[in-house]
Amino acid sequence: MSTSIETAASKSVATSAKTSEFDRDTAVTLRAPGVYDAELSAGWTIIHAVNGGYLLALLGRALGDHLPHPDPFTISAHYLTPSVPGPAVIRTETVRTGRTLSTGQASLFQYAEDGTEVERIRVLASYGDLDALPDDVRTSARPPAIAPIENCFGPSDGPTPQIPGSSAITERLDIKLDPATVGWAIGAPSGKGEMRGWFDLADGREPDALSLLLTVDALPPTSFELGLKGWTPTVELTTHVRCRPAPGPLRVSITTRNLAGGFLEEDAEVWDSADRLVAQSRQLARAPRG
């Protein structure tokens, strides 16, 4: 198996018919069995690193092509080193294939400045078919209390939630934050460790199972509402996709209950326009040092 990152494309997994920026920027090209070339876009950077949810979707696309089942059910990622815009290679491996679920792993690599290959992310995931799931739902979960979208705030509204450093990713997202969670933007964080808002892609692409991997990590970090500013790098992120989302904007609620020892957890729920809980996630992140 080749270990070079130079592109030797033989098959494009993302078809030319797709016009969404998300689809173009998560495109992977099959070079050899289980090996995919990719280009990490600078359009998905936040502060000074490539967004973790975008990276998760990129690896999720490669695994979806490699495994016999189409949809991510659960995917856990360990972020080993910060990814930067530019070429990358993804190596996938099938761990087990069953009738309803298949499990695989994948790693994303880039070159360091000295020319050595560096592993950026390693994931383990189980895939299935969301359309084959039974309709039975028994839940005590309820959609988050978020103000109507017309009463929420985005980058073009006031107060404007300014993110320190690079915020190129905000140009690709249509996020409207609940007024109760934007105190940090005007120097008055609530201290509650909560972030809630409406989520959509700026170019109007409808949500699907793959884009949910981006959604769970797309809102500003809850550490902002705890009064901390700066980069909040993800150490580990596990996402569960529960069903295929209905068209329309998503509602996202993220909470942190415990910041200790320089680390915090973030629990996210994503609800679709049909009031269904479509994705859940938990991540461990390093608290901002500034």
Side-chain angles (χ1 to χ4, degrees):
M1 183 179 294
S2 171
T3 59
S4 172
I5 294 182
E6 288 83 4
T7 301
S10 60
K11 172 188 171 186
S12 176
V13 175
T15 69
S16 59
K18 294 178 178 178
T19 58
S20 166
E21 193 165 16
F22 172 78
D23 290 310
R24 292 196 304 271
D25 290 346
T26 57
V28 294
T29 302
L30 184 65
R31 178 205 301 176
V35 182
Y36 298 84
D37 288 299
E39 184 74 19
L40 306 189
S41 170
W44 301 88
T45 54
I46 184 69
I47 299 184
H48 59 269
V50 180
N51 171 260
Y54 161 73
L55 293 169
L56 191 62
L58 184 69
L59 275 82
R61 190 182 291 282
L63 277 171
D65 180 74
H66 178 71
L67 296 172
H69 291 93
D71 303 312
F73 275 25
T74 177
I75 181 167
S76 296
H78 286 262
Y79 295 80
L80 308 178
T81 53
S83 298
V84 296
V89 65
I90 300 170
R91 298 194 183 91
T92 63
E93 177 184 345
T94 300
V95 177
R96 180 186 180 276
T97 298
R99 185 176 61 86
T100 59
L101 288 175
S102 56
T103 299
Q105 61 184 8
S107 291
L108 183 145
F109 298 85
Q110 290 186 300
Y111 278 138
E113 291 183 0
D114 62 2
T116 59
E117 195 175 69
V118 178
E119 186 176 8
R120 302 298 195 192
I121 311 167
R122 184 177 299 188
V123 306
L124 181 67
S126 289
Y127 275 58
D129 184 353
L130 290 172
D131 295 329
L133 295 179
D135 294 329
D136 185 33
V137 176
R138 310 179 195 191
T139 182
S140 61
R142 294 292 179 267
I146 299 179
I149 194 168
E150 61 271 16
N151 295 334
C152 292
F153 297 105
S156 61
D157 305 313
T160 302
Q162 295 293 332
I163 299 174
S166 169
S167 56
I169 189 173
T170 61
E171 299 174 11
R172 278 133 199 96
L173 307 178
D174 185 7
I175 293 177
K176 299 286 188 177
L177 295 177
D178 189 295
T181 66
V182 296
W184 59 273
I186 56 174
S190 68
K192 295 181 179 180
E194 299 176 350
M195 198 67 64
R196 295 186 299 273
W198 297 84
F199 175 91
D200 211 342
L201 288 168
D203 61 11
R205 181 196 189 276
E206 295 291 359
D208 63 6
L210 190 67
S211 70
L212 290 175
L213 303 182
L214 164 69
T215 305
V216 297
D217 193 43
L219 267 61
T222 55
S223 58
F224 285 7
E225 272 297 272
L226 292 174
L228 302 174
K229 293 290 181 71
W231 190 34
T232 309
T234 302
V235 176
E236 186 270 346
L237 170 61
T238 294
T239 301
H240 298 162
V241 176
R242 307 306 303 271
C243 63
R244 201 176 304 284
L250 301 167
R251 284 161 291 172
V252 185
S253 173
I254 307 177
T255 59
T256 290
R257 296 187 304 164
N258 191 53
L259 188 159
F263 293 87
L264 57 90
E265 90 291 343
E266 288 193 335
D267 291 312
E269 291 186 352
V270 182
W271 294 75
D272 71 0
S273 60
D275 283 347
R276 298 178 305 166
L277 180 60
V278 295
Q280 299 163 281
S281 74
R282 165 167 279 202
Q283 71 170 280
L284 180 70
R286 188 182 295 275
R289 297 175 179 177

